Amino acid sequence: MDATSTCPSYSARDYKSEVKPVWCPGCGDYSVLGALTKALAELSIPPENVALVSGIGCSSRLPAYTNVFGFHGVHGRALPIATGIKVSRPELTVIASGGDGDGFSIGGNHFMHACRRNVDMTYIVMDNEVYGMTKGQASPTTAPDWEKSKLTPQGTGINPFHPLVIALAAGANFIARGFSGDPNGAAQLITEAIRHPGFSFVQLLSPCVTFRPEQRDWKDAVHPAAVDPTDDPARAARRLMTDDGFNIGVLYRGSRKPFQPALKASVDSVADLEKEFVL
């Protein structure tokens, strides 16, 4: 996606910071961190040319654990911040990350419009179908009959949000699903997402074994998608609407031109900017 052919070789370690992750033992996000750093090493992008933006939640700690430019934003606002960075600094590789609560609940409106705008960046969502940081509440992707939360002891009774379907309908240019238990496969998906022009969305199933211990069974439920990726939105829609939630791989590759507004040749001085706010 961004120029990398003249960059020196890097290892995954070059993209990790000295900050030790504080996720629970067994959390799938450890593997997502490893997958992301492997992908960046595969692409040989200099760390200073990467911007990683997150919102709030367990998964949104990701920028602190990487050796790239990071922005730990506010709840649900990773995508507008990442969009602003990319349109003003198009030479950077911009990645947004977060969880299902951050991305699809309070950040749901931003998610749809980020897909629609199709700015050239990648959004990685670590989906564990629960609010983990706040101790186990139902999230937008939680099944309606999950009864283990004290807030919804009889289940939510609400159909779960289907992020891949929404992404396709809203205009995302690349859609994939991976599993944190397959870190090499997840790294390959992230690599492809970054390389693909436009807005790339990668849903990574990332078990929360603390509040959803039954998700340990995901390792037996995930399976490679039975069909090759398509560039036909109608065909992709039919596949996604009948999806069991555990198909792994690239599911859609679009060809829409990324949105990039023209930049001004010169930057206004602070004094010129202040004049615009004079009443």
Side-chain angles (χ1 to χ4, degrees):
M1 188 159 68
D2 296 296
T4 60
S5 59
T6 60
C7 296
S9 177
Y10 293 92
S11 69
R13 187 182 299 273
D14 293 320
Y15 299 94
K16 292 183 179 180
S17 74
E18 296 180 357
V19 180
K20 184 178 179 181
V22 295
W23 293 310
C24 300
C27 177
D29 294 353
Y30 285 100
S31 294
V32 177
L33 172 61
L36 175 59
T37 55
K38 286 180 181 178
L40 293 173
E42 172 67 22
L43 294 165
S44 292
I45 307 172
E48 66 271 19
N49 288 348
V50 179
L52 177 59
V53 184
S54 70
I56 295 296
C58 296
S59 54
S60 291
R61 297 178 182 273
L62 209 61
Y65 306 144
T66 59
N67 185 33
V68 301
F69 282 109
F71 192 110
H72 193 173
V74 294
H75 205 188
R77 305 305 192 263
L79 286 173
I81 295 168
T83 299
I85 293 172
K86 184 61 183 182
V87 297
S88 61
R89 293 289 303 277
E91 76 280 7
L92 297 178
T93 295
V94 178
I95 302 166
S97 67
D100 41 298
D102 180 78
F104 307 142
S105 182
I106 190 171
N109 195 46
H110 292 300
F111 173 59
M112 290 186 289
H113 290 288
C115 295
R116 180 177 69 89
R117 292 188 187 98
N118 197 34
V119 171
D120 192 14
M121 62 186 189
T122 300
Y123 186 33
I124 301 169
V125 173
M126 287 149 270
D127 192 347
N128 55 19
E129 302 180 359
V130 73
Y131 283 98
M133 181 173 280
T134 50
K135 311 307 180 196
Q137 296 80 35
S139 81
T141 55
T142 302
D145 57 352
W146 183 64
E147 301 176 345
K148 299 298 178 64
S149 170
K150 293 181 180 179
L151 287 182
T152 51
Q154 296 178 331
T156 65
I158 304 171
N159 286 337
F161 187 87
H162 198 324
L164 276 65
V165 171
I166 297 298
L168 179 68
N173 220 29
F174 178 98
I175 299 172
R177 180 192 288 125
F179 176 48
S180 64
D182 176 19
N184 290 332
Q188 183 59 38
L189 290 177
I190 295 172
T191 300
E192 292 187 52
I194 294 174
R195 282 177 171 155
H196 194 83
F199 185 81
S200 296
F201 172 54
V202 181
Q203 178 193 33
L204 291 178
L205 303 177
S206 183
C208 175
V209 297
T210 298
F211 296 106
R212 300 292 305 268
E214 69 276 12
Q215 291 177 350
R216 290 189 176 94
D217 295 337
W218 280 0
K219 66 180 184 298
D220 300 317
V222 296
H223 53 88
V227 294
D228 293 331
T230 179
D231 59 359
D232 180 358
R235 182 176 297 176
R238 289 192 293 270
R239 293 175 179 175
L240 292 176
M241 290 301 294
T242 58
D243 178 68
D244 66 355
F246 292 101
N247 278 302
I248 301 301
V250 178
L251 303 172
Y252 175 71
R253 287 192 181 97
S255 56
R256 280 207 303 144
K257 182 180 179 181
F259 173 71
Q260 176 59 52
L263 299 177
K264 296 177 64 174
S266 60
V267 178
D268 293 334
S269 67
V270 174
D272 290 334
L273 292 174
E274 289 177 343
K275 291 178 182 178
E276 299 182 12
F277 294 91
V278 175
L279 297 177

